[in-house]
Every structure is written in C-alpha cells, then in structure tokens.
Amino acid sequence: MAAWARAVRGLLLDISGVLYDSGGEGGGVPIAGSAEAVQRIKASGLKLRFCTNETQATREKFVKKLQGLGFDISVAEVTAPAPAACRLLKERGLRPHLLVHDDLVPEFADIDKTNPNCVVIGDAAENFSYANLNEAFRVLIGLEKPVLISLGKGRYYKETDGLKLDVGAYMKALEYACDVQAEVVGKPAKAFFESALAEMGVRPEQAIMIGDDIVSDVGGAQQCGMRAVQVRTGKYRPSDENHPQVKPDAYVNNLAEAVDTILSQM
Amino acid sequence: MAAWARAVRGLLLDISGVLYDSGGEGGGVPIAGSAEAVQRIKASGLKLRFCTNETQATREKFVKKLQGLGFDISVAEVTAPAPAACRLLKERGLRPHLLVHDDLVPEFADIDKTNPNCVVIGDAAENFSYANLNEAFRVLIGLEKPVLISLGKGRYYKETDGLKLDVGAYMKALEYACDVQAEVVGKPAKAFFESALAEMGVRPEQAIMIGDDIVSDVGGAQQCGMRAVQVRTGKYRPSDENHPQVKPDAYVNNLAEAVDTILSQM
C-alpha cells in the first residue's frame, strides 16, 4: 500500500469484522482502535461510506447499536442490501415471500407481499428453520419462473461465540433444490458497489474498500475497479492469503493500521 | 419398453414415491397397486431388490413400517446408504459428526464418534435447525482437510403434506460454506447401484431400475449400465420429461403398470 494510496479520495468500510465483532449480550464488541480510526477518517476530509451486507436488522436499529458501541455513524452513511432489494422489487413488480430476520421485516414495510412471485432471502439466523426453508422452497418451486433474490452471498461470519453460516449457504440450498440461480443484491454485486461509490461521489480508481471477506469485500470491490485491503480481523483466516482467485492489494492487521497507512501517504 | 425388457433378470425398486408416499399419521400411504405389484414380481421368479436413499430411520424400523402398509419386504432385501457409509467410515478410519435424523443414529452404533474428523449428513428433517447446521459447519471448517459424506443428494421429496427439502440441499449449503465437495453414498453413486446388483447377483444389462427421481434413480442407474424407468408417482413432475441431461428408457404411470408391462414381455 504505497503510491496508489496517494490517489485516494474515499474509503468504503465493511462493518462486521472490521468495526466490531457481532454477537453476544450487547450485540457485539468493538475491534480495538476502530472507533478512533473512523474519527480520523472523518477528520482527514476523505469521503467515507459504510458498505455492509448486514441484514439482521433495519439500518436504523443497526446504526443505533453501532453508536452504542462508540462509533460515529449515521443511517445516511450506510449502504445495505435491503433498500437496494426494495428498489429492485418495485422496478420489476415483484412481490416477495420473505425468508429474513424478524428485525429486517420493517425495511419491506411498503412492499406488496400478497400472492408472492419471488423469494427474498437474507441472513435469517434462527429463522433458518427446516419449516421456514421448506416454505420458501415451496413458493419457489411452485412458480413458473422461480426468482430468488439473495441479500448477499457470504459463506459465514464470526460472532463472539463462533463462526455462523451466512445467507450464501442457504441461498445455495434453494438454488440446488429449485435448479435456479439467485440474483445477489449486496456485496459482491457490482451494482451494489457502484451505488455506494455514487453516493460518495467518487470514482472507483479513487476509492479503497476495507473488509474482512476475501470474496465479498475484496473480490467484489476489485471487480468494480477499486483497490481493496483485507484486514486480519473478523472472519479473516490465514488460508485466505492463498485464495485461488482473489488477491487483495494489501493486508493490514486491522482497520486502525489501514487508516494510519493511508493517511500517512496523503 | 419392449425388446430390452425381455432380457431382464432382476428389478431394482426405489421405495418412497414408488411403493408409497411418506408422511402423515401412519407414516405414509401406499400407492395404489404397488403392494400387489411387489407380490407379482416375487411370484415371477425375477430377482428383486429395494434400493432406497431413505435415511430417516434404521432399515429395521423402515421395513416394519412398510410391512404395516401391506408390503412383502424384509430388511435383507433393502440396500440403503447408512450401512454403506459405515463400511466406508471403517475402511478409512473416519470418526463422524452426525447430522442425521434421530431415528437413524442406531445404524452408527458401533462407529467411533469421538473427536470427529468428518461430517456425515443424511435427511435430518427437523434436525436441520440453524444450530445443528452451524455445529456441523464448525466441525468441518475446523478440519485441516474437511471430509463431508452425504447420504444421497436428492433435491426434495414428496410427503403427504407437500414437498420437502432433501439432504442434497443441505449438502450444497455445507459444500459452499466450507469450499469442499461432498462424497455421496447412496443413489446416484455408481458404487451404490453396483453393490445392489451384486447383492442380487445380476449384471447391469439384465436389470431395470424403477424410480420416481429423474436424477438419483434414472440417471444413476443408467450411468451404471442399467435400463431405468420413471414412474409418474411420488416426486415426479411433468417438467422431468424435458430434463436436459437424463432421459428414462420408458415412462409408466405407476409401479403396477411397469410390472405388468415387464412381465408381459417375458
């Protein structure tokens, strides 16, 4: 991370595994130095946007939790899959059957959900029961042209009590059962990164994505023409450094180190 | 189904969706004419073997249920995935973490399950909870070389109250999350059909498989050099007749019609 960091005008930050580790009593634990790193970015004049695949809560609720953990963050700074999915549903006249976390449902408040003609799957956590998955499956298999919209396609994430399966695993289950290909809204979809960049008003070559997911964060941002840095926090695993397809532009131990290095180049 | 049916010396029958539809109070409902068809096969002198991917119960319990529904069937006539998996586990010194139906567990009674070095997944039904799937995932992802053994890879099956996701869907979820390829024991694995044929003492070209699953029954048997007939009962769907890869040697409305036609050729 040297010459190319000098051209930077905006940063995109993943949240879970970069700002904090989710799970447990208070909803999570901040990663040391991350709250101060966010403040330093804001003080530096760099544009900043949070780009998350979080779908276990509305953005309002999610941001409130992060504020409680000491982060300077507002709803208007967050790009998340549910609002993007709502735009897509409206554009195409789709009425979803929702297989999502209870706390995400309010994001779909003004979407017609009667007589569903598609399934939207998010990180439903405890709602990923056998009964609920069967119900979503039956809706899909009963459609003449099954449409499956997935809010991200992460394989797993880390909570304070261990690794948990993410929406991507359940997306694959439904894809296989119904012989369909899901449309992914959220990282690593190109359109999702592009909307985050547009909201910042920054071109891809002027932006750096910082995340813990080698495929969704790093691979997705690079596909979009951005530089991408992987932090060695959150779901990072040493085997990521031998990933057959994706190679980050740089590794850092954590967000604080990434921000230090970037700001020192400016 | 004409000339080639004359060379037949043995029949392999799938059970669920061919003999009966599973689910509901008594455990299922016989498909009209199937019990009599089994009797006619036995009276004809043809060799007969039941070849099932059933993993919701031990063979003993499963056979007892079928006898109660009026079928002439014994444990010794049934080829099923769990015993095949046990042979494989012993051969390779594998100690499984089981993600299976409670009623299947006794099949693994004499297998060492301490300190697991692989995961065995079957049709776990209600046991496919978020917590149980996470537990199996954590065992797998924690292994240096993850080994996932799947008892079949069916997409879904039909019970009296509707279609249900089968083990294949959950196998895909774990495959994706851990970036591994499952080893399938059961249909459509070639070794599984071959052991059923060996138990009958019949060569593939002398045998006919009768099943409702276009991929696991029909495709698997054909890969093994057998003829295969699809019944229009159980999970059969009209769209199966346009399957891009698999074309049955014949269609019949049900098992009774298949047996009538085959016996009339002899």
Side-chain angles (χ1 to χ4, degrees), chain A residues 9-15 18-19 38 41-42 46-52 59 73-80 83 87 187 192-202 207-210 226 255:
Chain A
R9 286 199 46 230
L11 298 183
L12 276 183
L13 303 192
D14 179 30
I15 296 178
V18 175
L19 299 191
V38 168
I41 297 168
K42 291 194 169 181
L46 284 176
K47 303 265 185 141
L48 172 61
R49 189 129 193 110
F50 301 94
C51 187
T52 180
R59 280 167 307 164
I73 183 172
S74 68
V75 171
E77 294 171 313
V78 176
T79 301
R87 286 195 295 274
K187 300 177 286 187
F192 190 70
F193 284 106
E194 284 170 349
S195 70
L197 288 169
E199 285 152 351
M200 274 205 299
V202 161
I208 299 174
M209 172 78 205
I210 302 173
M226 300 167 62
L255 177 63

Side-chain angles (χ1 to χ4, degrees), chain A residues 125-126 128 130 133-134 137-138 141 153 155-157 163-165 168-170 172-173 176-179 237, chain B residues 125-126 128 130 133-134 137-138 141 153 155-157 163-165 168-170 172-173 176-177 179 237:
Chain A
E126 300 296 339
F128 281 135
Y130 181 60
L133 221 64
N134 275 332
F137 160 66
R138 284 186 205 134
I141 199 90
K153 61 171 198 176
R155 301 194 300 159
Y156 55 85
Y157 52 85
L163 298 176
K164 306 247 170 120
L165 288 168
Y170 291 91
K172 286 287 172 184
Y176 178 71
C178 302
D179 199 17
R237 291 160 55 88
Chain B
E126 300 296 338
F128 280 134
Y130 181 60
L133 221 65
N134 275 334
F137 159 67
R138 284 184 205 137
I141 199 90
K153 62 171 197 176
R155 302 193 300 161
Y156 55 84
Y157 53 84
L163 297 176
K164 305 246 168 119
L165 287 168
Y170 291 91
K172 286 288 172 186
Y176 177 71
D179 199 17
R237 291 160 54 91

